[in-house]
Amino acid sequence: EDQVTQSPEALRLQEGESSSLNCSYTVSGLRGLFWYRQDPGKGPEFLFTLYSAGEEKEKERLKATLTKKESFLHITAPKPEDSATYLCAVQAYEIDGQNFVFGPGTRLSVLP
Amino acid sequence: DGGITQSPKYLFRKEGQNVTLSCEQNLNHDAMYWYRQDPGQGLRLIYYSQIVNDFQKGDIAEGYSVSREKKESFPLTVTSAQKNPTAFYLCASQRGQGYNSPLHFGNGTRLTVT
């Protein structure tokens, strides 16, 4: 079964149009939830780690929040350079070893 | 600047040939990982290593092999036994053996097998 899902699969925004991306997970005993940004042909770039429900992290136009079963990545007044695929990943007690479980990503396009 | 270097960026091979992908890190990280990325799927773990001379299979290890002779290096060999090797391969490292620290990724190798 899918342990980490992301929605929507793709999102197209106009510059300045704020929105949110969702990451839902079914694992219990969460150790950490991680957000990454990935540009085409590049490796993922680390953005945030969230450890417990209620936690929030911010960086420029991005804000990540965490509840018991999902995380949101809020994008405020996005710019075209925010266009990328955003990945989330979880680590949990029930996952063997050092295995992170990644979601399939949300492909964000911000139009000028 | 510290980071993870993967080479080459693009690799083309004929079916039936083994090929080795390079991954080097100068972050002094203990743990290293290999992932495979296919369109529409999450990253899938191939192998990981927490210390030198030790490594564990991930979810899709069949047809792949690795070595960890030095802390800085974690090469991946894609063997002819891998049924569908064409993919984007990502190497990552992690600071410690404990949980909670993020993965740091290289910029990947795109392998095409024809």
Side-chain angles (χ1 to χ4, degrees), chain A residues 9 31-32 34 36 38 40-46 48-49 51 85 87 91-93 95-105, chain B residues 9 31 33 35 37 40-45 48 50 58-59 88 90 94 96-108 110:
Chain A
E9 183 176 325
R31 298 302 299 266
F34 304 84
Y36 290 85
Q38 186 175 23
K42 299 282 186 69
E45 174 189 347
F46 170 68
F48 304 110
T49 307
Y51 296 110
T85 296
L87 306 175
Q91 269 193 320
Y93 287 104
I95 300 174
D96 290 339
Q98 298 283 11
N99 200 350
F100 291 72
V101 179
F102 280 83
Chain B
K9 186 172 176 67
Y33 302 73
Y35 285 90
Q37 188 173 36
Q41 297 191 42
L43 275 65
R44 292 182 291 167
L45 182 66
Y48 67 98
Q50 298 184 25
D59 301 319
F88 189 50
L90 288 162
Q94 184 187 28
Q97 296 183 29
Y99 292 107
N100 301 345
S101 58
L103 296 175
H104 296 266
F105 286 89
N107 274 329
R110 185 166 299 281

Side-chain angles (χ1 to χ4, degrees), chain A residues 98, chain B residues 25 29-33 48-56 66-74 94-97:
Chain A
Q98 298 283 11
Chain B
Q25 56 103 354
H29 284 176
D30 290 313
M32 296 187 74
Y33 302 73
Y48 67 98
S49 168
Q50 298 184 25
I51 56 173
V52 175
N53 292 322
D54 187 45
F55 47 83
Q56 285 77 42
V66 294
S67 63
R68 186 90 186 275
E69 297 177 1
K70 298 187 300 181
K71 186 175 184 178
E72 302 79 17
S73 179
F74 192 41
Q94 184 187 28
R95 184 177 60 200
Q97 296 183 29

